[in-house]
């Protein structure tokens, strides 16, 4: 049986632990709000881009970035996190990407932990370093240059990105978006939903 002294000591420890957890939750929440504020710039840019393309007839356009080329392989870019406790989310990203892959499609992954998961599944892929808190333009530029080069040289007919979208501090969902060729949701009639395709 615990003595009164030991009970008081345990209670004090528990109170201090609860206080520490509350402090950590506050720090995490403030950090999350800071990252959300930084994301606003990219959201505004996406809206401006969509507004510009409202003036363009994408279906009749002959530009390579707007023309579908379904006979060519797709490049599927997976964005995974190297942060702790996100292994389940990384697995969801990879499983979503693999469910959409055709036999000749290329897999491109960002993030060391995601790359390890693909290695465990004996998959072939191209690796790029993961995204850190401070996104470096040169890193994004390297991925962009590779994808555009492959697309313009007809090694890829489509570029798809699969990534975790943070809906809230406690909720994330895996999203798929087609980057190339650019396509608007209203041209599809329904929001873009990429479904698995079985190669002949």
């Amino acid at each position: 049986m615990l003595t009164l002294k030991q009970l008081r000591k345990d209670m004090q420890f528990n109170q201090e632990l609860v206080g520490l957890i509350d402090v950590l939750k506050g720090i995490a929440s403030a950090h999350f709000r800071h990252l959300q504020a930084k994301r606003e710039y990219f959201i505004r840019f996406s809206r401006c881009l969509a507004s510009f393309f409202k003036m363009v007839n994408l279906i009749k356009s002959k530009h390579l970035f707007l023309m579908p080329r379904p006979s060519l392989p797709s490049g599927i870019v997976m964005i995974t996190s190297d942060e702790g406790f996100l292994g389940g989310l990384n697995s969801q990203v990879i499983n979503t990407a693999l469910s959409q892959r055709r036999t000749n499609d290329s897999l491109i992954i960002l993030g060391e932990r995601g790359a390890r998961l693909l290695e465990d599944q004996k998959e072939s892929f191209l690796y790029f370093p993961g995204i850190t808190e401070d996104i470096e333009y040169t890193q994004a530029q390297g991925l962009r240059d590779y994808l555009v080069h492959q697309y313009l040289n007809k090694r890829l007919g489509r570029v798809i990105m699969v990534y975790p979208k943070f809906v809230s501090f406690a909720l994330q969902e895996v999203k798929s978006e087609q980057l190339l060729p650019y396509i608007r949701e209203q041209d599809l009639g329904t929001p873009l939903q990429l479904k698995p395709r079985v190669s002949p």
Side-chain angles (χ1 to χ4, degrees), residues 80-87 90 94 109-118 127:
T80 62
S81 175
D82 287 332
E83 298 296 327
F85 307 108
L86 292 175
N90 287 342
I94 289 172
I109 193 155
L110 279 69
E112 186 176 338
R113 295 193 180 192
R116 288 183 198 155
L117 289 173
L118 280 180
Y127 168 78

Side-chain angles (χ1 to χ4, degrees), residues 64-130:
L64 280 178
F65 286 165
L66 305 175
M67 291 175 58
R69 295 183 290 180
S71 61
L72 295 176
S74 296
I76 303 177
V77 182
M78 294 162 283
I79 299 180
T80 62
S81 175
D82 287 332
E83 298 296 327
F85 307 108
L86 292 175
L89 187 60
N90 287 342
S91 294
Q92 288 181 45
V93 169
I94 289 172
N95 291 337
T96 299
L98 293 179
S99 72
Q100 299 170 4
R101 178 186 56 170
R102 300 172 298 183
T103 303
N104 57 346
D105 289 344
S106 299
L107 299 177
I108 302 123
I109 193 155
L110 279 69
E112 186 176 338
R113 295 193 180 192
R116 288 183 198 155
L117 289 173
L118 280 180
E119 285 176 348
D120 291 343
Q121 297 186 40
K122 311 297 184 188
E123 296 286 354
S124 298
F125 60 91
L126 179 65
Y127 168 78
F128 281 85

Side-chain angles (χ1 to χ4, degrees), residues 40-52 177 182:
E40 285 300 316
Y41 169 79
F42 298 102
I43 292 173
R44 289 199 304 270
F45 174 78
S46 297
R47 288 174 182 159
C48 290
L49 188 66
S51 297
F52 169 77
E177 290 189 24
Y182 180 80

